Amino acid sequence: MRHTLAVLVENKYGVLARVAGLFSRRGFNIDSLAVGTTEDPTLSRMTIIVSGDDHVLEQVMKQLNKLIDVIRVIDLSSEEFVERELALIKVNTDASNRAEIIQIVNIFRARTIDVASKSLTIEVTGDVEKIKAIQTLLKPFGIKELARTGIVALNRGSKSQ
């Protein structure tokens, strides 16, 4: 089972290394990790995607809560939440297929952010399935490069962490 954890931490050097080290010491794999400052510059928010059963989740949450710099850990998977990811995709193109690629970009409400004679760079934001779907459609044209941010997530509605 896939779990989305929202971890509020102090915005200090070394915190990310300690969190990542905790996962590696325990033999847990991080499927996705995104970190950034919050509305309070002294705090950072980590969105961590981890796979495993409820026992794995319980162990991860207990270990995270033991870290001094961790303020709060929430399993968003047990609540309603929204998640998004950003991907930049550079695709091979020429005059014969450029219009078809642009049509795919428009269908996914993505954006063409760079045009060169032999490539297009596309920016797409959405859930994991949307990113995978556009990637699948663009693959036959030849994906030259791909960069993904990792998933960020927040509770739905007015509830906050």
Side-chain angles (χ1 to χ4, degrees):
M1 184 173 176
R2 180 175 169 255
H3 299 278
T4 302
L5 302 178
V7 184
L8 200 59
V9 299
E10 293 183 27
N11 188 10
K12 295 196 281 188
Y13 66 89
V15 175
L16 176 59
R18 285 190 284 283
V19 169
L22 179 151
F23 278 83
S24 67
R25 281 191 308 278
R26 301 284 182 230
F28 300 134
N29 187 42
I30 296 173
D31 296 331
S32 175
L33 173 65
V35 184
T37 57
T38 66
E39 65 284 353
D40 178 350
T42 66
L43 300 176
S44 287
R45 179 185 182 88
M46 294 183 176
T47 305
I48 304 171
I49 311 298
V50 62
S51 296
D53 58 20
D54 289 337
H55 177 69
V56 169
L57 174 67
E58 182 181 342
Q59 290 302 309
V60 166
M61 290 183 70
K62 280 182 183 178
Q63 295 301 316
L64 284 170
N65 278 311
K66 286 182 182 179
L67 293 176
I68 292 170
D69 298 318
V70 172
I71 296 165
R72 191 175 312 128
V73 180
I74 295 176
D75 176 17
L76 293 175
S77 308
S78 62
E79 306 174 16
E80 287 193 33
F81 67 99
V82 292
E83 66 179 21
R84 292 292 180 265
E85 183 175 11
L86 168 73
L88 298 177
I89 306 168
K90 187 179 289 186
V91 183
N92 290 322
T93 187
D94 56 36
S96 68
N97 62 14
R98 189 178 306 270
E100 187 177 356
I101 293 170
I102 291 172
Q103 186 177 14
I104 292 169
V105 169
N106 291 336
I107 289 168
F108 280 86
R109 283 186 247 142
R111 293 179 12 177
T112 303
I113 58 170
D114 185 55
V115 178
S117 61
K118 296 185 178 186
S119 70
L120 286 176
T121 303
I122 299 154
E123 171 189 305
V124 60
T125 305
D127 59 25
V128 174
E129 290 77 25
K130 181 178 179 180
I131 305 291
K132 285 181 184 176
I134 193 168
Q135 197 175 336
T136 299
L137 288 174
L138 294 173
K139 192 173 183 175
F141 298 102
I143 295 176
K144 294 176 81 160
E145 287 184 85
L146 174 71
R148 294 173 72 164
T149 60
I151 297 166
V152 293
L154 289 174
N155 289 326
R156 281 196 177 273
S158 58
K159 186 176 179 181
S160 64
Q161 186 182 8

